[in-house]
Amino acid sequence: MVGSLERVTQAIKAYSRFLITWHVDPDPDCVGSGLALLLALQALGKEVIAVSPDPLGDWFDFLPGIEFCRVFEAGFNPPVDAVIVEDCEPDRCGGLVPFLKSGVPVINIDHHGTNRGFGEAFYIDSQAAATGEIVYELITEHMGVSLTRDMATNLYAALSGDTGTFRYSNTSSRVLFIAGELARHGADPGAIAAHLYENKPFEEVNLIREVLDTLEISPNGEMGWITVTRMMLGERQWSGQRSEDLIKYPRMIKTVKLAIMFRELELARTKVSFRSRNNIDASKLARLFGGGGHMYAAGCTIDKPLPEAKAMVLEAAAELLAAEGAGVSGGEEGKGGNGRNSGTSQTAGNDLT
């Protein structure tokens, strides 16, 4: 681990007006963790707003406290005392980055192992399954706030998202204990799962069909990949959860050790997501292209057209599998580690989804 929750708590007590933000392509962990923390700060009498660097899909609407969240707009300059950046380092906060570098005090909470920690106070635990696990500990053990049903709902959504609905190898006994405590405080697992995973419009299900038509697999079956073009997306909003929903398909093929999703952002800009298993280090591949993340979930953004980026990544991925894939077995996919209280440091540019 890097930093301490004690120092984070001291910084929280020192300020009265907060902005909470998270990474681009928001997912259930960053939004759920952020809203739970927002409600906890309000319980302490703090003034708090949440600002998302990217639009939120309407499937986030069920999360308590979402009414206190707005989407970033150019020229935004809120009158706050400090900013809490959670589930990422500040460089992943899109249009908010200049504001975060303007001298405003920053508090950083994250579980990505490539994050070195930023700001006046920080806590990075790469062994936490989700930032929601860290925020649960912060609220219940350090802030002196009683957990409410609304906080529990947000944190359960956070844990569910980053553990693949408690299927990934980062689903430790600690995670299951916390999930049980959240349910005991009023979180409804069935309702949360239905909102997150069984509430899609036809257009989104149709996108899955289009993307599956692009599914390819390497000759030896160890690598599978899909492609999402701008034409497929049209005017649809993207979210980090959609990354998970799509990349799971090549990953579920029995022989695949490394799943890749290519997403065309612009004519000369491509987002690449990696999910792996069997001890294949996806973050090593992502770092080759300026990205980062976890061992089993990582990503990068490449300033190249889709076909060129695709060729570069597939060549590097094949080399990685040839070097590391022979005879390995064991670990399964996940977005974090098993357990807590250990950590490594992070480089800027982490682009997990």
Side-chain angles (χ1 to χ4, degrees):
M1 100 189 96
V2 180
S4 73
L5 284 179
E6 289 78 11
R7 181 69 190 96
V8 167
T9 305
Q10 291 170 4
I12 286 173
K13 290 180 178 178
Y15 299 108
S16 299
R17 299 176 300 173
F18 291 89
L19 182 152
I20 297 175
T21 192
W22 44 72
H23 54 74
V24 295
D25 286 351
D27 58 24
D29 185 27
C30 70
V31 180
S33 298
L35 293 179
L37 186 54
L38 178 148
L39 295 172
L41 289 170
Q42 288 181 338
L44 291 175
K46 311 286 187 179
E47 295 180 24
V48 199
I49 59 170
V51 178
S52 177
D54 277 346
L56 299 174
D58 57 10
W59 51 276
F60 280 120
D61 288 349
F62 80 98
L63 292 176
I66 195 69
E67 66 272 17
F68 299 107
C69 182
R70 58 178 292 183
V71 178
F72 171 78
E73 297 177 353
F76 182 61
N77 188 23
V80 297
D81 301 325
V83 178
I84 298 176
V85 176
E86 50 94 17
D87 203 36
C88 68
E89 71 276 23
D91 282 344
R92 286 198 67 206
C93 292
L96 280 160
V97 171
F99 176 69
L100 298 177
K101 294 184 176 181
S102 67
V104 62
V106 172
I107 300 168
N108 190 201
I109 303 169
D110 192 12
H111 75 123
H112 293 105
T114 46
N115 188 340
R116 293 174 179 168
F118 293 83
E120 175 180 319
F122 51 84
Y123 182 74
I124 316 299
D125 184 357
S126 66
Q127 295 301 303
T131 295
E133 182 179 342
I134 299 172
V135 172
Y136 170 85
E137 182 179 350
L138 176 64
I139 292 173
T140 61
E141 299 180 23
H142 296 271
M143 291 177 63
V145 174
S146 297
L147 199 64
T148 65
R149 174 180 297 191
D150 287 349
M151 294 176 203
T153 296
N154 284 316
L155 291 174
Y156 191 97
L159 288 181
S160 178
D162 263 24
T163 61
T165 57
F166 307 100
R167 293 179 295 115
Y168 296 160
S169 64
N170 57 358
T171 307
S172 64
S173 59
R174 166 75 173 171
V175 168
L176 294 174
F177 169 79
I178 293 173
E181 286 296 293
L182 297 174
R184 191 170 70 84
H185 282 83
D188 185 334
I192 293 169
H195 278 293
L196 289 177
Y197 308 111
E198 299 172 0
N199 192 31
K200 300 180 187 298
F202 168 79
E203 292 77 14
E204 187 161 334
V205 176
N206 194 50
L207 174 65
I208 296 173
R209 179 191 61 79
E210 292 182 73
V211 172
L212 284 176
D213 282 342
T214 74
L215 177 62
E216 299 179 72
I217 192 167
S218 62
N220 64 6
E222 293 186 346
M223 181 167 59
W225 61 93
I226 53 175
T227 304
V228 184
T229 66
R230 292 188 301 160
M231 184 175 295
M232 289 177 188
L233 285 175
E235 297 300 317
R236 299 183 184 101
Q237 293 181 352
W238 189 266
S239 72
Q241 184 58 43
R242 184 171 284 161
S243 296
E244 288 299 305
D245 288 346
L246 294 174
I247 200 170
K248 71 182 182 184
Y249 291 105
R251 183 176 56 190
M252 69 173 55
I253 297 171
K254 183 177 182 179
T255 60
V256 166
K257 298 177 180 178
L258 176 65
I260 307 173
M261 181 174 69
F262 299 94
R263 174 159 62 100
E264 183 182 38
L265 299 178
E266 301 171 13
L267 284 177
R269 192 169 173 81
T270 304
K271 182 78 172 284
V272 189
S273 301
F274 306 101
R275 299 293 183 269
S276 66
R277 56 187 170 190
N278 296 100
N279 292 328
I280 300 300
D281 190 348
S283 68
K284 181 181 294 187
L285 183 58
R287 286 195 297 270
L288 293 176
F289 301 97
H294 303 291
M295 180 171 183
Y296 295 121
C300 61
T301 300
I302 301 174
D303 291 326
K304 298 285 185 181
L306 177 60
E308 190 174 343
K310 207 168 172 180
M312 293 167 55
V313 169
L314 290 176
E315 180 180 0
E319 292 176 357
L320 174 70
L321 285 172
E324 296 193 8
V328 298
S329 61
E332 295 296 327
E333 69 275 14
K335 293 183 75 173
N338 286 309
R340 47 198 296 241
N341 296 335
S342 67
T344 56
S345 43
Q346 176 163 343
T347 56
N350 175 25
D351 200 4
L352 199 153
T353 55

